[in-house]
Amino acid sequence: MKSSQSSTLTSLSLSLSLSPFPQVPPKLKSKRYTDKTEEMEDEPVNIREYEEIAKQVLPKMFFDYYNGGAGDEHTLRENMEAYRRIMLRPRILVDVSRIDMSTTLLGYKMHSPIMVAPTGMHKYAHPEGEVATARAAAACNTLMVLSFSSSRKIEDVASSCNVVRFFQLYVYQKREVSATLVRRAEEYGFKAIVLTVDTPRLGRREKDIKNKLILPQLSNLDGLVSVDVGPKGGSDLEAFASQTLDPSLCWNDIEWLRSITSLPIILKGIITAEDAIKAVEMGVSGIVVSNHGARQLDYSPATISVLEEVVKAVSGAVPVLIDGGIRRGTDVFKALALGAKAVLRLFQAPTSLKNRGILDSETFAGTYYLLCKLWPLHHCLCTPCHSPPTTTKYFQAPPLSSPLDPSQIKKQKEQNKMEDGPVNIREYEEVAKQVLPKMIFDFYNGGAGDEYTLRENMEAYKRIMLRPRILVDVGRIDMSTTLLGYKMQSPIMVAPTGMHKYAHPEGEVATARAAAACNTLMVLSFASSRKIEDVASSCNAVRFYQLYVYQKREVSATLVRRAEEYGFKAILLTVDTPRLGRREKDIKNKFILPQLSNLEGLVSVDVGPKRGSDLEAFASQTLDPSLCWNDIEWLRSITSLPIILKGIITADDAIKAVEMGVSGIVVSNHGARQLDYSPATISVLEEVVKAVSGAVPVLIDGGIRRGTDVFKALALGAKAVLVGRPILFGLAAKGEKGVKSVLKMLQGELELTMALCGTTSINEITRKHVQTEGDRIRSLL
């Protein structure tokens, strides 16, 4: 009996727990109840749901333009995550029967401290564009900042409704364009100028590049500037910005702006105390703490994380606003608690929701997309469009008018036919993974042990934040540097990596030609699959040679003499490989070692029968585990070339290296292929730099995948960086052209990072331009 009851109860419990909907009590199953629920219309209940719907109804090109960020989009994610790490401390037993959210800015009253941020091209989202946004802002009694790239004219927005508006300004190379826009805004009743100061050049927005973003003719620029940038393979916006925006904009130009308008000036794009203080000294009327929605410089800090620093710096002299990452009313509250006067949100919400009591202050604080009931697009403009959600109650489609004219639609069709190439190192890695046999890709890309250090080499860079400075004339950027007296176009060198013929038939010859074309130094690996002589004769360039010391010292001596004879300019002695690290992917793949060209007639790679990796067996039989500091003198006795030690990650060894009279140091953990759980190279760079005190140049390798990584290494004291795996990825993908593309990509990203950080030469990059984990911890003590 008990068993039967237990079974019945269990079945009942399971049926209740598996039911997808709560059970309606029988007495509530009345006609009135069911009619009421059927009449209810589903609406988004938070900003995340608006975002999901917008993603479904907008063509990918438009959604990515609105929602994307720069580079790896680290800062884009961090803008939101940083809010989540701030906890609220509620108080109780306070009479809150009446809540007053109103505030004033520059004397203008708002219903709440939630403003409409300047965002461009609203007609991508809705035919009425910024006019609909303006009416929504007016209905909610708040301030709107109209973007310079509005798809509706200043005059149209001004006449659409009675609301206080500010105008966002960029400064063009043709200053009269900016002056004309300011005069029009002032004439039509705009109350302040919000000058964007963080865009001397446009950030690298890779989604726009991949999507080949089409830029419509911007209404406010009709008759002033054409957006027709001619044929290209990337983003129209990037091309347009490079041809029109003024990279020489600097602090003195605040006076120029003040000379053409009587309106208050607010600076948008400040994220350091230093720039905030300077802005106050220049007499501006307000500051917007902004990283441009994470669309300019990736790895700049989240805005909320620097708000308090800026607020303290200005000491109440001017109001401080903030944008970036706000998705909840709680985010607004946190920003106000940390000193913001108001927040700016990318507000693009349906005006029709206001009349139904849905567009309250919290929804308004984060509603992200200008959509009139989130209408489905009938035309995809040659771009695949996601199907609209099945909940069609969300949609009431107004008549559709494309923001692009027929000629632009034709242009997009032509651009879509162009070959899509990798736009970053990560994509080159994916291509290499597809085209290379597993054994070879794992050899190139694998690490030792658990590969913890392999991952940490890259992750450690991501934890270092950039501290960009604004209003510096960056019209000319000089990335050049010298090493041992040899000039390079940039401080990005080719690291020694072995067996390039596994990636491409031309092997290291292709790599050498690409390095020469980019005017940089290449270090040829001892494990090169092309002879020293072949690489030397392939092109005219400065090269160094990497050396391992063999048990048969004459083998090493022969290689050194050949390198010196054929014009190599320095010896990089690898000092972290008395034995080969445990590279388990190579063991599992039974890695096959080809005959190394430079060792022909000197050492055989035939290691006999074995079960694991040829390389491991070869290294154990040939490399000299007795190598020690005294052997530096032996090496110096057989060559007149400068000696650089590669594989130093402690201050003690760096000091000893200087005492031994070496000409340079490479901070390296061998690409994480030797000792797992050794520190990431960037995490020990500063320790080594301080230890040598400028006595010798310090280089670094390991984990570099972005121009921002190069900038961080230079800021922490590196003279130059060596790049290894990315070179191999490029070589595997496209041969010499791929290597050149990788180097140009990194050089371009470095140049952009320098511009956005306000540095015009390598020597101007300083420790103040970065914030490490240690810095953040010390700031809390």
Side-chain angles (χ1 to χ4, degrees):
M1 183 66 179
K2 288 183 179 179
S3 175
S4 176
Q5 288 176 335
S6 174
S7 176
T8 301
L9 288 171
T10 301
S11 298
L12 178 61
S13 174
L14 283 171
S15 67
L16 289 172
S17 65
L18 293 175
S19 175
F21 303 106
Q23 302 299 306
V24 179
K27 65 180 181 179
L28 291 181
K29 288 184 177 179
S30 64
K31 186 177 188 303
R32 181 181 178 185
Y33 177 83
T34 54
D35 287 350
K36 182 77 172 176
T37 55
E38 286 172 3
E39 288 172 4
M40 292 173 64
E41 182 174 345
D42 291 329
E43 296 289 355
V45 297
N46 56 45
I47 306 310
R48 185 180 64 255
E49 291 185 3
Y50 269 114
E51 180 177 344
E52 284 303 314
I53 298 165
K55 186 175 183 179
Q56 294 178 61
V57 301
L58 289 174
K60 185 176 187 297
M61 181 180 78
F62 296 169
F63 180 80
D64 285 351
Y65 166 69
Y66 286 145
N67 203 46
D72 296 325
E73 296 188 339
H74 173 88
T75 299
L76 184 66
R77 295 185 294 272
E78 184 63 9
N79 267 355
M80 291 179 280
E81 291 299 322
Y83 274 103
R84 294 172 185 166
R85 294 193 293 269
I86 300 172
M87 295 294 103
L88 298 174
R89 301 182 69 246
R91 303 299 299 273
I92 60 170
L93 294 175
V94 177
D95 181 355
V96 291
S97 56
R98 292 186 180 182
I99 301 291
D100 180 10
M101 295 190 296
S102 66
T103 188
T104 60
L105 179 63
L106 304 185
Y108 301 104
K109 189 171 183 178
M110 298 182 287
H111 176 261
S112 75
I114 304 166
M115 299 168 55
V116 180
T119 53
M121 296 177 269
H122 287 201
K123 285 184 74 173
Y124 269 163
H126 186 275
E128 289 191 297
E130 289 77 4
V131 165
T133 309
R135 287 199 298 257
C140 294
N141 191 20
T142 193
L143 289 171
M144 171 184 176
V145 184
L146 183 67
S147 169
F148 92 102
S149 58
S150 166
S151 47
R152 296 297 298 269
K153 290 184 177 180
I154 291 170
E155 295 79 0
D156 294 340
V157 175
S159 62
S160 64
C161 56
N162 185 24
V163 67
V164 175
R165 283 174 290 265
F166 296 169
F167 183 72
Q168 178 210 27
L169 181 71
Y170 283 64
V171 175
Y172 294 87
Q173 295 172 23
K174 296 178 179 178
R175 290 292 173 93
E176 185 53 32
V177 173
S178 300
T180 299
L181 294 174
V182 169
R183 286 192 292 267
R184 286 167 59 189
E186 191 164 3
E187 179 183 354
Y188 280 87
F190 285 72
K191 302 302 182 184
I193 299 297
V194 179
L195 177 63
T196 293
V197 293
D198 60 1
T199 315
R201 288 176 54 181
L202 201 73
R204 186 169 175 80
R205 305 172 189 179
E206 293 177 358
K207 287 180 177 175
D208 291 348
I209 297 170
K210 294 290 284 185
N211 292 332
K212 303 180 178 68
L213 177 72
I214 299 291
L215 185 64
Q217 179 59 45
L218 303 175
S219 299
N220 288 311
L221 298 181
D222 284 347
L224 297 173
V225 178
S226 171
V227 300
D228 186 5
V229 292
K232 51 87 200 172
S235 160
D236 271 0
L237 184 60
E238 184 177 48
F240 172 74
S242 68
Q243 294 176 24
T244 59
L245 297 185
D246 189 353
S248 72
L249 185 68
C250 61
W251 286 105
N252 292 336
D253 292 310
I254 304 298
E255 287 304 319
W256 164 80
L257 180 56
R258 191 174 282 117
S259 73
I260 64 171
T261 183
S262 60
L263 295 178
I265 298 170
I266 298 172
L267 297 192
K268 176 181 178 289
I270 289 178
I271 57 175
T272 66
E274 297 94 325
D275 284 335
I277 292 169
K278 181 69 173 177
V280 171
E281 291 172 352
M282 294 299 296
V284 302
S285 299
I287 286 171
V288 183
V289 175
S290 173
N291 54 31
H292 212 105
R295 292 154 70 83
Q296 279 296 100
L297 179 63
D298 200 22
Y299 297 99
S300 59
T303 50
I304 192 64
S305 70
V306 295
L307 172 61
E308 202 167 13
E309 171 190 336
V310 172
V311 168
K312 288 179 180 178
V314 304
S315 301
V318 297
V320 177
L321 316 180
I322 185 173
D323 70 10
I326 297 160
R327 295 297 184 273
R328 289 280 186 181
T330 48
D331 298 337
V332 180
F333 188 97
K334 293 169 185 178
L336 299 176
L338 291 174
K341 179 70 172 176
V343 304
L344 293 125
R345 258 311 289 142
L346 307 181
F347 167 61
Q348 296 174 335
T351 56
S352 59
L353 295 186
K354 170 63 182 175
N355 298 328
R356 301 172 50 195
I358 293 171
L359 193 60
D360 59 14
S361 60
E362 183 177 356
T363 305
F364 177 78
T367 304
Y368 190 40
Y369 301 100
L370 174 108
L371 301 165
C372 188
K373 289 292 288 178
L374 298 170
W375 48 287
L377 293 175
H378 299 165
H379 301 285
C380 297
L381 303 179
C382 313
T383 306
C385 177
H386 298 284
S387 300
T390 55
T391 310
T392 54
K393 292 179 181 178
Y394 281 139
F395 307 99
Q396 291 178 354
L400 178 69
S401 61
S402 171
L404 304 181
D405 62 38
S407 65
Q408 290 174 312
I409 295 174
K410 180 181 178 182
K411 179 180 179 182
Q412 188 184 33
K413 287 180 180 178
E414 292 171 352
Q415 289 182 354
N416 285 346
K417 293 177 183 177
M418 294 180 183
E419 181 183 356
D420 286 325
V423 299
N424 54 45
I425 304 303
R426 184 181 63 252
E427 292 187 2
Y428 266 110
E429 180 178 347
E430 285 302 313
V431 174
K433 188 175 183 178
Q434 292 173 33
V435 301
L436 291 174
K438 185 176 186 298
M439 182 190 77
I440 297 171
F441 180 79
D442 285 352
F443 167 67
Y444 286 152
N445 205 45
D450 297 325
E451 296 188 340
Y452 172 85
T453 299
L454 181 67
R455 294 184 296 274
E456 185 63 9
N457 267 356
M458 290 179 282
E459 291 300 318
Y461 275 102
K462 296 176 182 177
R463 294 193 293 270
I464 300 171
M465 294 293 103
L466 298 171
R467 300 186 72 249
R469 301 299 300 275
I470 59 164
L471 292 174
V472 176
D473 180 349
V474 290
R476 293 186 179 182
I477 301 291
D478 180 9
M479 295 188 295
S480 66
T481 190
T482 58
L483 179 64
L484 304 185
Y486 300 105
K487 189 170 183 178
M488 299 182 286
Q489 182 178 320
S490 77
I492 303 169
M493 299 168 56
V494 177
T497 50
M499 295 173 257
H500 287 203
K501 284 184 76 171
Y502 266 158
H504 188 273
E506 288 191 296
E508 288 78 4
V509 166
T511 306
R513 287 199 296 256
C518 295
N519 192 20
T520 194
L521 289 171
M522 172 184 175
V523 183
L524 184 67
S525 169
F526 92 101
S528 167
S529 48
R530 296 296 299 267
K531 290 183 178 180
I532 290 171
E533 295 80 359
D534 294 340
V535 175
S537 62
S538 65
C539 54
N540 184 25
V542 175
R543 284 174 288 268
F544 296 168
Y545 184 72
Q546 178 210 26
L547 180 71
Y548 282 65
V549 174
Y550 294 88
Q551 295 172 21
K552 296 179 179 178
R553 291 292 173 92
E554 185 53 32
V555 173
S556 300
T558 299
L559 294 174
V560 169
R561 286 193 291 267
R562 285 167 61 188
E564 191 165 3
E565 179 184 354
Y566 280 88
F568 287 71
K569 302 301 182 183
I571 299 296
L572 250 75
L573 177 64
T574 294
V575 293
D576 58 3
T577 315
R579 290 177 57 179
L580 201 73
R582 185 170 175 80
R583 305 171 189 178
E584 294 175 1
K585 287 180 178 175
D586 291 348
I587 296 170
K588 294 286 286 185
N589 292 332
K590 298 181 174 62
F591 178 74
I592 298 170
L593 183 66
Q595 178 61 49
L596 302 176
S597 299
N598 287 311
L599 297 182
E600 289 177 357
L602 297 173
V603 178
S604 172
V605 299
D606 185 4
V607 292
K610 51 86 194 175
R611 297 180 59 187
S613 162
D614 273 0
L615 185 61
E616 185 177 46
F618 172 75
S620 67
Q621 294 176 24
T622 58
L623 297 185
D624 189 352
S626 72
L627 183 70
C628 62
W629 288 106
N630 292 337
D631 292 311
I632 304 296
E633 286 304 319
W634 164 79
L635 181 56
R636 189 174 283 115
S637 72
I638 63 170
T639 183
S640 61
L641 294 178
I643 298 169
I644 299 172
L645 297 193
K646 177 180 178 291
I648 288 177
I649 56 173
T650 67
D652 295 336
D653 283 338
I655 292 169
K656 181 69 173 176
V658 171
E659 291 172 352
M660 294 299 297
V662 301
S663 299
I665 286 171
V666 182
V667 175
S668 174
N669 53 31
H670 211 107
R673 294 155 68 84
Q674 279 297 100
L675 179 63
D676 201 19
Y677 298 97
S678 60
T681 51
I682 192 64
S683 68
V684 296
L685 172 61
E686 199 167 17
E687 171 189 336
V688 172
V689 168
K690 288 179 179 178
V692 304
S693 300
V696 296
V698 176
L699 316 181
I700 185 174
D701 69 10
I704 294 159
R705 296 296 184 273
R706 286 284 186 184
T708 49
D709 298 337
V710 180
F711 187 96
K712 292 169 186 178
L714 299 177
L716 291 173
K719 180 69 172 176
V721 305
L722 294 124
V723 179
R725 288 183 177 92
I727 299 297
L728 293 167
F729 299 153
L731 185 65
K734 295 185 177 183
E736 178 184 338
K737 181 180 176 182
V739 176
K740 193 186 305 182
S741 175
V742 164
L743 287 169
K744 291 289 187 183
M745 190 179 288
L746 289 172
Q747 289 174 348
E749 289 182 9
L750 173 60
E751 184 181 24
L752 179 59
T753 304
M754 289 175 64
L756 297 181
C757 284
T759 55
T760 60
S761 68
I762 297 299
N763 292 335
E764 291 181 7
I765 301 173
T766 70
R767 182 63 173 80
K768 292 181 179 179
H769 286 103
V770 294
Q771 184 185 52
T772 64
E773 283 184 293
D775 296 335
R776 290 192 287 276
I777 293 170
R778 285 187 289 273
S779 71
L780 299 174
L781 299 178

